[in-house]
Amino acid sequence: MNDRSDTPATDHLHLAVALDGAGRHPAAWREPPARPARLFSAGYWTGLVAEAERGLLDFVTIEDALGPQAPPDRTGHVTGRLDAVLLAARLAPVTTRIGLVPTATTTHTEPFHVAIGIATLDHVSGGRAGWRPQISARAEEARHFGRRDLPDVLEPYHVADLLDEAGDAVEVARSLWDSWEDGAEIRDVATGRFLDRDRLHYADFRGRWFDVKGPSITPRPPQGQPVVALLAHAGPALELAARSADVVFVTPSDREGAAALVRQIRALPRTGEPLKIFADLVVFLGAGAAERKARLDELDGAAFEGAASDAAVFTGTPEELADLLLDWRDAGIQGFRLRPGGLPHDLKAVTRGLTSALRRRGAFRDAYEAGTLRGLLGLPRPVNRHLPVGAR
Amino acid sequence: MPRTASRRRLHLAAHFPGVNNTTVWTDPRSGSQIDFASFLHLARTAERGRFDFFFLAEGLRLRELKGRVHDLDVAGRPESLTVLSALAAVTERLGLAGTVSATFNEPYELARRLATLDHLSEGRAAWNVVTTSDAFTGENFRRGGFLDRADRYTRAEEFLRLARALWDSWRPDAVAADQELGRFVRPGAVGEVRHHGRHFTVQGRFTLPRSPQGHPVIIQAGDSDEGREFAAANADVIFSRHGTLEDGRAFYADVKRRLARHGREPHELKIMPAATYALGDTDAEAAENAAEIRRLQVGPQTATAFLEQIWGRDMSAHDPEGPLPDVEPAADAGISQGRVQVADRLAVAAKWRAVAEEKRLSIRDLVIEMTGRQSFVGSPETVARRMEEFVEAEAADGFILVPHLTPGGLDPFVDRVVPILQERGVFRTEYTGTTLRDHLGLAAPRRTP
């Protein structure tokens, strides 16, 4: 399953879309063509991911958390989410090429369960799985588990601890994914052995937060290592991404900020393939984008910009967005995770408008060139950590 | 045979072949245990046969024998709910049942995953609640072997109670999604759960609306007194392991009798034993096929491994095709991990020796004789008639069928036995409902506000 493209189109941008509820704007659900009553149905999501695949996007991410988004008195906002890993699995059989990158929290969950869930997603999708590990820093979510106390206001050392734990969770997952070598299932009738147990390996992970013995119960995923993608806003998370992830999502506010982040990330310690740097942008697209956003702001009673959004907000035409993306590409950004302001409107503007505009500039694919997510990202299938160096 | 209105209908489920020696991998038709195509094949076969549900077992650590990973049986499995969620996309009516541990999960997260599966499958989710207290499996999890054996069911009971409170916490009409009014949820419709118990302290609001079935179907598989009581109080289906008509009737009567104590009617709990089968054009041919399957299930190395499990010591020096050697079983603890422990090894060993001597069996033939024979052997007519007898005799409400081949082992049953069951009027010819509760004839769960 070597999907590395023979002729990597290095000047092509990678494009992903972040799917969440009715879109990124808090009032997005209130205007047609949003379908807020359908948010918890499979059909809602299969429609969105089919659109994304039609647009030849690299992958979709699916947001998640272990608690409701809105406090109980905010009845005017979307609240409630499906489990993202299971949702991604539900989408796998109805798609063929697009990558599926669910969020799964590392703070209260079992690293073993998360690792086999993502490995299973990779099996059911034929090598299109990713994982966005996310920490849970909310005291409210800690009370859903009752196993640890988190204060309502976190100190930096709390966040550092949660990130440290997330790093261990990623390391455990990667170790479990490698715990079966590719040829471990031998089916040797003569000796009666289904497995060659010399090709199975204990993780034997011992850390500050948990110990995990292994091996995995799930054979090595088709990609070897599913893609790990981290959203990182600041130093400690960027360091974790450089150490552990394949892809990082950053949130610069302009080209200069993007260039500075790229320099900062490239200076961090890293082994293996270079980290893929994606920038996140919230997008309102189309001829009437500014008016539409203004209407939503009014409905919500607050302007969605500045401190209201961690990522920069773009309002304009797909052509203008294409110019901006190429400008940021020159600053070292390799891909973009676009967060549609409203679904499905701004998704369609990406898949139909933006991709055409980029293609006219020679900066986006006109067909899927690989069958796995690693292949689409130009990442090789990694050699198992348990193989001797000479065999790699 | 005339159809009568009083004839008891049976329920059928398909168990994906598990990680033990009953799954034959040496057969050239044997396919992958992990490729999605295998799950798809079995699920679609089950749906073609109008089965009630598809069933996945769970084992959270690879089994070990003599301190090493057991290498003779099929191994490797997916995360249950993830693969079931994918199957929801490629099936329409089939129930999707996953085994998930109540020991190594937390209620908020698991309740949410199960509710997700119920939403994504439009009401076809089921949870087989299992418990484990073993430290061996615990080595893969944060808390290790934290739970005393005696507390397995107290935790499971509290876990389920809390899960039900979370599933009930959104009023059925909570989502207004009123674009005009700007009201996504109705005021006061999303309740806060406050639970303070011996095993869990949980406070907060759930992240999903009430799912199509209200609560997923609850399955229970333990056979101990506590397990039976837990099922009588909580379960919709029991996955039992009583293979003979007599054992089945005794178990059935015992469990159904317990229901009244919990204010429940006999029909509210379905008893579905695991069942294996071997078919043939005639009963004689089926018997030959059954014997052949048993020989494939118990190869020479597997025979030795079984003997070692009972004897508790290394037996690899003895030819499995030869007689049982004059070696006493070790008195100390067993040598296998992650599989069902043999309760009284010394007594079992004595019984095995008696049978071996009486019938003059080799080690391999002894193991074939003493372990895992097929529940139903015969022509399709014979098997259909026997199954109906079990149900008529109140030894079962249906069966969870365990094929010996992945993924095609169910096809002959669906092609040849199901039509006869349908012809005899004891099995559905079409789905009449859309949810698993519909298939099983179970009422919607009462909502505790």
Side-chain angles (χ1 to χ4, degrees):
Chain A
M1 197 158 311
N2 186 354
D3 272 315
R4 188 165 208 183
S5 179
D6 289 337
T7 52
T10 48
D11 50 351
H12 277 192
L13 282 175
H14 297 289
L15 277 189
V17 159
L19 299 179
D20 187 22
R24 190 65 189 88
H25 196 290
W29 69 273
R30 293 191 57 185
E31 281 210 336
R35 296 187 300 156
R38 301 277 298 149
L39 288 183
F40 306 103
S41 70
Y44 178 83
W45 299 92
T46 57
L48 294 178
V49 76
E51 180 62 34
E53 190 168 63
R54 202 173 298 131
L56 308 179
L57 305 192
D58 292 73
F59 59 91
V60 294
T61 62
I62 304 171
E63 303 303 301
D64 204 1
L66 292 167
Q69 303 93 310
D73 53 332
R74 300 280 294 273
T75 55
H77 286 172
V78 166
T79 193
R81 279 191 183 113
L82 297 159
D83 177 273
V85 175
L86 297 187
L87 177 53
R90 175 65 180 75
L91 300 173
V94 299
T95 51
T96 57
R97 292 304 188 91
I98 195 164
L100 302 165
V101 184
T103 296
T105 301
T106 56
T107 305
H108 303 291
T109 54
E110 286 286 355
F112 191 88
H113 288 320
V114 174
I116 64 174
I118 299 296
T120 300
L121 178 62
D122 208 43
H123 282 288
V124 302
S125 65
R128 296 183 286 125
W131 169 31
R132 180 159 93 78
Q134 176 174 259
I135 62 169
S136 165
R138 295 165 68 196
E140 178 191 329
E141 292 183 15
R143 286 193 288 271
H144 296 159
F145 291 81
R147 298 274 305 281
R148 62 171 99 180
D149 286 323
L150 272 181
D152 288 321
V153 180
L154 295 194
E155 302 291 338
Y157 73 86
H158 288 122
V159 176
D161 277 356
L162 295 173
L163 286 171
D164 185 55
E165 183 184 16
D168 282 2
V170 173
E171 171 53 24
V172 162
R174 290 195 180 282
S175 177
L176 290 171
W177 293 335
D178 273 354
S179 66
W180 291 53
E181 291 180 25
D182 290 322
E185 184 182 313
I186 51 172
R187 297 187 179 232
D188 186 44
V189 177
T191 58
R193 292 179 307 148
F194 181 82
L195 293 176
D196 176 356
R197 56 191 171 193
D198 292 335
R199 290 192 244 177
L200 293 183
H201 304 276
Y202 292 100
D204 270 329
F205 182 88
R206 291 187 171 277
R208 184 176 159 205
W209 310 98
F210 40 73
D211 301 336
V212 174
K213 180 74 181 173
S216 180
I217 58 169
T218 308
R220 194 163 191 247
Q223 295 184 99
Q225 296 276 319
V227 172
V228 176
L230 275 176
L231 171 62
H233 296 110
L238 290 170
E239 286 164 24
L240 175 62
R243 207 164 58 241
S244 302
D246 302 295
V247 175
V248 64
F249 306 132
V250 294
T251 52
S253 51
D254 53 29
R255 186 188 194 279
E256 286 64 42
L261 274 166
V262 169
R263 279 194 302 275
Q264 186 185 351
I265 290 166
R266 295 294 177 218
L268 292 169
R270 164 99 181 159
T271 54
E273 293 283 319
L275 188 61
K276 297 279 178 193
I277 305 176
F278 278 52
D280 273 19
L281 281 173
V282 180
V283 295
F284 296 88
L285 296 172
E291 294 75 15
R292 192 159 51 86
K293 178 174 176 300
R295 275 202 316 278
L296 294 177
D297 285 350
E298 189 172 331
L299 279 173
D300 197 45
F304 185 75
E305 55 207 22
S309 175
D310 60 329
V313 177
F314 175 88
T315 307
T317 65
E319 294 288 338
E320 291 163 346
L321 179 59
D323 290 336
L324 180 138
L325 301 192
L326 293 183
D327 190 34
W328 287 26
R329 179 187 67 183
D330 294 341
I333 298 291
Q334 296 156 292
F336 293 87
R337 185 175 73 138
L338 304 175
R339 307 184 195 172
L343 289 168
H345 181 95
D346 294 307
L347 170 65
K348 285 184 178 165
V350 167
T351 53
R352 296 166 193 213
L354 176 66
T355 55
S356 306
L358 287 172
R359 217 170 273 128
R360 281 194 292 279
R361 292 160 174 79
F364 194 64
R365 65 171 65 88
D366 48 25
Y368 277 118
E369 68 277 10
T372 68
L373 177 53
R374 293 191 77 90
L376 293 179
L377 293 172
L379 295 168
R381 186 172 192 272
V383 173
N384 195 307
R385 64 172 68 187
H386 294 292
L387 292 184
V389 174
R392 296 184 190 185
Chain B
M1 200 173 271
R3 296 186 189 191
T4 61
S6 65
R7 185 167 293 177
R8 279 161 49 82
R9 294 195 152 229
L10 57 87
H11 298 280
L12 291 174
H15 188 307
F16 190 84
V19 295
N20 53 48
N21 72 299
T22 56
T23 304
V24 171
W25 56 263
T26 49
D27 189 300
R29 293 166 295 175
S30 161
S32 170
Q33 291 288 124
I34 191 66
D35 286 353
F36 185 60
S38 290
F39 297 92
L40 179 64
H41 182 112
L42 184 63
R44 285 202 166 145
T45 303
E47 189 162 76
R48 178 160 62 82
R50 306 295 181 256
F51 276 38
D52 293 74
F53 60 92
F54 174 93
F55 183 93
L56 280 178
E58 181 187 68
L60 294 170
R61 182 150 177 199
L62 294 182
R63 300 176 309 152
E64 294 187 359
L65 187 68
K66 293 190 279 187
R68 301 194 66 192
V69 170
H70 185 61
D71 56 0
L72 302 179
D73 299 342
V74 296
R77 60 187 354 151
E79 198 284 316
S80 293
L81 299 185
T82 309
V83 84
L84 292 176
S85 194
L87 286 174
V90 291
T91 53
E92 291 179 359
R93 298 294 183 90
L94 185 68
L96 301 165
T99 303
V100 189
S101 170
T103 305
F104 295 112
N105 281 285
E106 295 296 324
Y108 189 95
E109 186 193 8
L110 181 55
R112 189 169 178 262
R113 300 183 75 226
L114 288 161
T116 296
L117 180 62
D118 206 43
H119 278 288
L120 291 177
S121 64
E122 297 178 294
R124 298 186 280 138
W127 173 27
N128 179 32
V129 185
V130 293
T131 62
T132 169
S133 58
D134 82 61
F136 175 74
T137 302
E139 284 185 329
N140 281 337
F141 298 97
R142 288 176 183 263
R143 296 179 77 180
F146 70 101
L147 192 64
D148 279 349
R149 202 173 157 74
D151 271 333
R152 288 178 308 156
Y153 280 104
T154 62
R155 178 179 163 101
E157 187 115 42
E158 190 178 327
F159 195 121
L160 186 56
R161 193 154 20 110
L162 178 47
R164 289 195 201 273
L166 292 163
W167 291 328
D168 282 348
S169 64
W170 288 48
R171 258 175 29 204
D173 65 347
V175 177
D178 187 329
Q179 293 178 314
E180 205 58 37
L181 263 177
R183 178 173 287 174
F184 186 76
V185 289
R186 295 180 211 283
V190 177
E192 183 180 53
V193 170
R194 287 170 180 270
H195 176 96
H196 188 83
R198 185 167 151 222
H199 296 280
F200 307 104
T201 298
V202 169
Q203 181 193 337
R205 288 169 306 121
F206 200 45
T207 64
L208 278 172
R210 188 170 184 79
S211 73
Q213 292 189 106
H215 305 171
V217 167
I218 301 298
I219 306 174
Q220 192 277 340
D223 191 34
S224 63
D225 183 64
E226 293 163 287
R228 293 178 188 203
E229 201 58 27
F230 177 85
N234 301 295
D236 301 303
V237 174
I238 294 190
F239 178 20
S240 68
R241 299 196 174 267
H242 294 271
T244 69
L245 191 70
E246 300 69 42
D247 287 355
R249 292 189 66 178
F251 178 82
Y252 192 100
D254 175 66
V255 172
K256 297 266 179 169
R257 192 165 46 231
R258 292 169 189 252
L259 287 169
R261 247 182 277 170
H262 303 282
R264 304 179 70 200
E265 301 281 332
H267 65 85
E268 293 179 58
L269 175 61
K270 308 297 179 194
I271 296 176
M272 298 178 68
T276 53
Y277 53 89
L279 303 175
D281 288 345
T282 62
D283 288 354
E285 188 187 296
E288 278 172 33
N289 289 341
E292 175 58 23
I293 292 167
R294 291 295 295 137
R295 285 194 73 72
L296 292 172
Q297 288 173 332
V298 184
Q301 296 87 354
T302 295
T304 300
F306 264 103
L307 198 65
E308 290 177 333
Q309 204 189 339
I310 306 292
W311 258 250
R313 61 168 74 218
D314 187 290
M315 302 291 273
S316 56
H318 306 285
D319 179 5
E321 307 288 4
L324 188 62
D326 194 14
V327 174
E328 288 303 310
D332 54 350
I335 56 170
S336 71
Q337 296 264 40
R339 55 201 300 169
V340 177
Q341 301 291 321
V342 180
D344 185 353
R345 285 191 298 104
L346 297 183
V348 173
K351 188 177 169 199
W352 280 35
R353 180 171 296 288
V355 171
E357 285 170 4
E358 185 200 326
K359 300 192 176 177
R360 297 175 181 274
L361 299 174
S362 69
I363 290 174
R364 186 177 177 193
D365 286 332
L366 175 67
V367 173
I368 289 172
E369 174 79 12
M370 302 304 289
T371 63
R373 304 169 84 177
Q374 291 93 348
S375 328
F376 296 97
V377 177
S379 68
E381 293 76 15
T382 300
V383 168
R385 196 177 61 244
R386 285 287 289 159
M387 287 188 155
E388 191 184 343
E389 279 166 17
F390 263 70
V391 173
E392 283 292 335
E394 301 200 326
D397 293 311
F399 301 94
I400 296 182
L401 299 177
V402 192
H404 75 280
L405 278 181
T406 305
L410 190 67
D411 292 62
F413 187 94
V414 165
D415 291 335
R416 304 184 66 188
V417 182
V418 166
I420 299 171
L421 292 169
Q422 290 169 333
E423 175 62 27
R424 295 171 73 94
V426 295
F427 192 64
R428 69 175 70 83
T429 53
E430 276 307 329
Y431 290 109
T432 51
T434 59
T435 69
L436 178 54
R437 284 183 182 278
D438 291 340
H439 306 337
L440 291 168
L442 299 168
R446 280 187 299 273
R447 178 172 177 266
T448 354

